Amino acid sequence: MSLEADRLQQMANAVRALSMDAVQAANSGHPGMPMGMADVATVLWTEYLKHDPAAPDWADRDRFVLSAGHGSMLIYSLLHLTGYARPTLQEIRDFRQLGSPCAGHPENFLLDGVEATTGPLGQGLAMAVGMAMAERHLNAVYGDPLVDHRTWVVAGDGCLMEGINHEAIGLAGHLKLGRLNVLWDDNNITIDGGVDLSSSEDVKARYLSAGWHVTECDGHDFGAIRKALDEAAADPRPSLVACKTVIGKGAPNKQGTSGVHGSPLGDAEVSAARETLGWEHAPFEVPEQVLSDWREAGTRGQSAHSEWKDRAAQHDTTGEFADRMAGKLPAMDDFDGALAEWLSGEQKVATRKASEMVLEKLTAMIPAMVGGSADLTGSNNTKTASTSAFTAQNYDGRYVYYGIREFGMAAAMNGMALHGGVIPYGGTFLIFSDYCRNAIRLAALQKVRSIFVLTHDSIGLGEDGPTHQPAEQVMSLRLIPNLNVYRPADLVETAECWKLALETPETPSAICLTRQGLPQVRSDNAMASGKGAYRLRAASAERKVILMATGSEVHLALECADKLEADGIGADVISMPCMELFEQQDEAYKADLLPNVPPEQILRVSIEAGVTLGWERYTMANGLNIGLDRFGASAPGDELFKHFGFTADAIVPKIMNKLNG
Amino acid sequence: MSLEADRLQQMANAVRALSMDAVQAANSGHPGMPMGMADVATVLWTEYLKHDPAAPDWADRDRFVLSAGHGSMLIYSLLHLTGYARPTLQEIRDFRQLGSPCAGHPENFLLDGVEATTGPLGQGLAMAVGMAMAERHLNAVYGDPLVDHRTWVVAGDGCLMEGINHEAIGLAGHLKLGRLNVLWDDNNITIDGGVDLSSSEDVKARYLSAGWHVTECDGHDFGAIRKALDEAAADPRPSLVACKTVIGKGAPNKQGTSGVHGSPLGDAEVSAARETLGWEHAPFEVPEQVLSDWREAGTRGQSAHSEWKDRAAQHDTTGEFADRMAGKLPAMDDFDGALAEWLSGEQKVATRKASEMVLEKLTAMIPAMVGGSADLTGSNNTKTASTSAFTAQNYDGRYVYYGIREFGMAAAMNGMALHGGVIPYGGTFLIFSDYCRNAIRLAALQKVRSIFVLTHDSIGLGEDGPTHQPAEQVMSLRLIPNLNVYRPADLVETAECWKLALETPETPSAICLTRQGLPQVRSDNAMASGKGAYRLRAASAERKVILMATGSEVHLALECADKLEADGIGADVISMPCMELFEQQDEAYKADLLPNVPPEQILRVSIEAGVTLGWERYTMANGLNIGLDRFGASAPGDELFKHFGFTADAIVPKIMNKLNG
């Protein structure tokens, strides 16, 4: 049942007014999009979106993603008007000010109802694809009574032009995600000017080619909007709704130009817009009738929510679904048993293979784990017996063939994690973390448990050469805040790192794994990786050297220590599978591993087959950093290690030089 | 004039045999693509490609880019067979071995005729777009007699699925690059299996939607291939030729499966393939007739080259075109004059604005400079009076509206630089270097002069918040080998950094610039930035502290020094606009700036509004690193600096603590 048009128009104009007023007050922000899409968003939020502002964590709510995140005042207005506890009007007044949850771009960790952190263009839509995948998967597992909702996206031309968008829509079309609907703010304007400055693409034909349903509407005609949304909702394919809008609609002198995209309207134009819109209210004032219409609309989902709760009580008697949505892990006894077994063994395996062995256990234990690879399944070793293919015909599958779409994969993983109920992991070569780096960053910023499986982690991959050999990638991932970067040394550490990755629900993980086989380096001290770094072997002779290494260089550090000890030089070996976790340890633990004595007394040496910048944090002045400060080369991996000096024969003399120097 | 089909087939089979034999000998590599595309490539290289193996640097040669770089044996075979000096047969025998130029993936710096380093999927095609842009631009400037060639690409499904491909074809279609022809190895196979595992895209419709011409052929029918190539060459739009092929064609038991994509065939299958192909020759043996047919084909371009040389002698009498293709810069007197003027001034400007002032000078002086931005022209300040828009109607324009396509832009820039005659620069926000990071890496690996203008370089950008605020990007770019990362402190340093960037033709540059205004910090010592770091101010009192800073934190370091000196504590201030250049200085210079004395004597402090990991290289043990080891927040920039402790009032007490601690 829809309100009469003029009352709906007033509601939409409230969004416009709040948006332009907030941007004006901040003297910073993007009024064009919220004003342009106010009518579409008003119809969507008052008549279509399934949500309950009183219960923003309702598992079966529709997900709404503002992919064009710069238009953040749109969602802040909608959340406030429909009656979410936050943002308050004061918080909207403080738009873009320190401490306000109304940040420049919507941030999922600041406000309920903001389902994803958006702004980096294209990623909102790509995360929405992941949400829609999670929805279909959970629907397949738990059925319609528990999971049956839509994912709505508002996207702009910027989103649609980005490469990641094309990866995302290719995936969505292939997987026939019919419950995903994208509302395209088709306003013909980008920051630089008209879209035709940089694009001649037939967007509708493009989406059709990806298997989407496409329709369009006048984005300022409520009836037309309803018709298009109905059509989108009905079509079994994912839908693109081209909403023809005027950017900055309501600002009479600036609307329809790039001038309203990213700048405040200015006081004069705000006044003019008030006049144009017939909005005679003070800044930030929403008249009673309009607010009460909005709040009334906000209660629309209460009964659906209530009915869902009844169904949940009936269908989720064990609480399994609720636990899963809450991200809880099952008991890990099976895993602990396997770890004990591996500790007592002596397996030489590549850590990517070790990861597969671990994943066999974990995916059998944890139904929430949904894996995949960007077309490197056999190389990333990400598929297990428990994970059949997730396809349009088989949404209960737990393995996604993402195709050659690394960025799209990483963003979809984030979307699944944000949706809840799924713990996504996905593989590519470590070098191609470059292709999806900003999605890894957004996982960290959003505090979600995405687990990136990054194999072929050094020159050890061999013949594929420098285009494929990571040199700077491990260290560069370490620079991303709130990301745990693991580089395990053997099967045991690989198992430990996987467990740690699962146990940090608010921190994503990058697990860097070798192509080549590695000897086992430890047979006791289960979960020693948990402190990020630990003394793998203590010096026998008087300690003169501390060797630190990660991953495939740990056994090399042990070899160096053997040689040094043979010469009567005591050498500790520290394995550091996760620098970030080590940083979190207390000073006593750190000082035990790395005593604060002058380098003349104990020489610190790092060994890692990657760039050295960063290792000085631990090796200090006059330490020794063994690494690769250049691009690699094409040759068998063992020859490259030799060629680039990663042998005990090459390293030990350097250490001796330092000791004697 | 074409050879009779059976002789042509033998020539194609020579490519197949060399490819499978080399992969088999290396026991590593990708036989499927070269064997599948051998027929298409043979027609292209013997009848269409304009080149002269005796003169691989012929400026007007067609460019051939193997975007599906894993099929590197295809191009190594073609180069050898058509008579390029390298690779020799021995070098092909040493495929993927240390020292052979026949690396796992084609590398432009190892072999003439390899126009681009490929392997990271999609980027070859995207670089080819840049080459085709450079061709049209130079054609517009110098005319048909000097520049009039095609760009050919061989791409696989992997290339076509990547997001960057969609950015690239969007740009190419918009710019109507009709002399770009992409030969798609349409074999329905990816690494994981059939393409239908991960994609349902209608590729032809997708290219049509981007403004391309599309045709197809049986990739094993010479007549059909010719017909399609003729059609592609004739059409004014960029062309996609879908070459229907059988991957691994000729290997009877494995062809048409993902098993031949990335693994050697094995001895038995190699034998079987010999039988199937009727190829009775020993491994690496090319029979005389076949080789002579190939060599004959390789001479096909000699007369065209000779005629071109005559035209060049007539049309490039000043040698301007030759100099430009050689990458030479004009005399920089105008620039030096401007720098002197700026030194004597006292301008407070944002360094992005400073960059624009510098670019006004440089683009007026250097016609080879072609700029652009990924839809942030007004924010990146990249457009100048000398650079009108480069459009399909105006190829002599020097400013590219790249659209919201950062990765496509960066790769296109690399392609322009590889083509020669163009010095590309392009802008985006520093945070979105994440979106194009692997193209920046490929610029470095390929040793080309791409200049990335990266504005909004810290929390100083303010209200846009953590999605847009670089924290780790400056340091993470520094990790890329052979990339100079500049972060200038004011107008003077910005000018110097630009000049340095232009003067390193084999090293790309990333210039990181502020959104916010910065005071001028230096008025003498022109080109001091050339050493990467320099003493901006020497201590007055006894030196107890060395402050190091970059960019927007240099003036802050000066403020800190003022306060310390006021307390009788001598403090040097070092500005470090380019860590990489500083690393290249001799030990004496480094020791002069950073004397090797214990931290008790001189405390070293770094100040940079980004992650601190890495700065320990210079601050050593017990130094002090002032930075931002977390994500930022949304608020006005000056408030954020205060909030996160980037003020003299916050920093000086920390220094005093250290000094007294």
Side-chain angles (χ1 to χ4, degrees), chain B residues 537-551:
Chain B
R537 185 196 291 176
S540 300
E542 189 196 353
R543 183 170 62 180
K544 287 287 180 190
V545 176
I546 297 175
L547 296 158
M548 288 168 261
T550 74

Side-chain angles (χ1 to χ4, degrees), chain A residues 399-442:
Chain A
Y399 192 82
V400 185
Y401 288 101
Y402 285 102
I404 301 104
R405 303 183 182 107
E406 298 81 7
F407 201 5
M409 172 178 76
M413 288 167 59
N414 292 346
M416 286 190 254
L418 286 163
H419 181 280
V422 171
I423 301 173
Y425 70 92
T428 185
F429 288 155
L430 173 56
I431 195 74
F432 297 127
S433 64
D434 279 4
Y435 272 53
C436 53
R437 184 173 172 86
N438 201 262
I440 298 175
R441 181 182 211 258
L442 268 194

Side-chain angles (χ1 to χ4, degrees), chain A residues 454-522:
Chain A
L454 304 169
T455 70
H456 296 59
D457 73 347
S458 77
I459 50 168
L461 67 86
E463 293 89 342
D464 273 350
T467 52
H468 284 57
Q469 290 162 356
E472 71 278 22
Q473 279 66 25
V474 172
M475 192 60 82
S476 82
L477 289 170
R478 289 183 182 131
L479 301 179
I480 299 176
N482 191 39
L483 174 70
N484 286 344
V485 182
Y486 295 98
R487 191 165 186 253
D490 65 3
L491 169 58
V492 166
E493 282 195 1
T494 303
E496 294 172 347
C497 291
W498 260 111
K499 189 179 185 194
L500 293 164
L502 288 166
E503 290 177 344
T504 52
E506 297 204 342
T507 300
S509 298
I511 308 184
C512 305
L513 302 165
T514 65
R515 176 185 184 225
Q516 74 275 18
L518 297 180
Q520 188 166 331
V521 298
R522 173 158 49 91

Side-chain angles (χ1 to χ4, degrees), chain B residues 87-254:
Chain B
T88 63
L89 200 56
Q90 185 58 47
E91 288 169 338
I92 287 180
R93 284 176 182 271
D94 291 340
F95 177 55
R96 291 182 159 237
Q97 306 308 304
L98 201 57
S100 170
C102 296
H105 293 81
E107 293 169 11
N108 68 306
F109 49 93
L110 293 182
L111 281 176
D112 286 336
V114 172
E115 304 283 0
T117 295
T118 53
L121 293 177
Q123 283 193 71
L125 198 157
M127 287 190 279
V129 170
M131 293 178 189
M133 291 165 68
E135 191 272 343
R136 280 298 87 186
H137 178 65
L138 294 167
N139 172 273
V141 175
Y142 292 101
D144 287 347
L146 287 179
V147 185
D148 185 22
H149 68 80
R150 295 187 182 280
T151 302
W152 302 91
V153 179
V154 166
D157 287 294
C159 292
L160 268 54
M161 223 182 283
E162 289 284 3
I164 187 177
N165 172 71
H166 294 276
E167 297 183 9
I169 69 168
L171 191 60
H174 178 66
L175 294 172
K176 297 189 170 45
L177 301 173
R179 300 173 71 75
L180 172 67
N181 297 314
V182 174
L183 314 182
W184 167 31
D185 182 15
D186 182 11
N187 61 26
N188 280 317
I189 293 294
T190 74
I191 293 173
D192 275 357
V195 169
D196 60 1
L197 262 183
S198 59
S199 180
S200 309
E201 191 157 299
D202 179 341
V203 171
K204 291 174 204 164
R206 192 283 170 270
Y207 274 72
L208 286 170
S209 76
W212 283 54
H213 160 254
V214 176
T215 185
E216 64 180 5
C217 65
D218 176 342
H220 304 301
D221 175 334
F222 295 125
I225 295 166
R226 285 184 195 110
K227 189 160 167 289
L229 294 186
D230 286 341
E231 199 190 308
D235 198 279
R237 294 165 292 178
S239 289
L240 177 76
V241 182
C243 306
K244 296 273 181 197
T245 63
V246 176
I247 189 171
K249 170 86 172 174
N253 306 302
K254 295 189 170 181

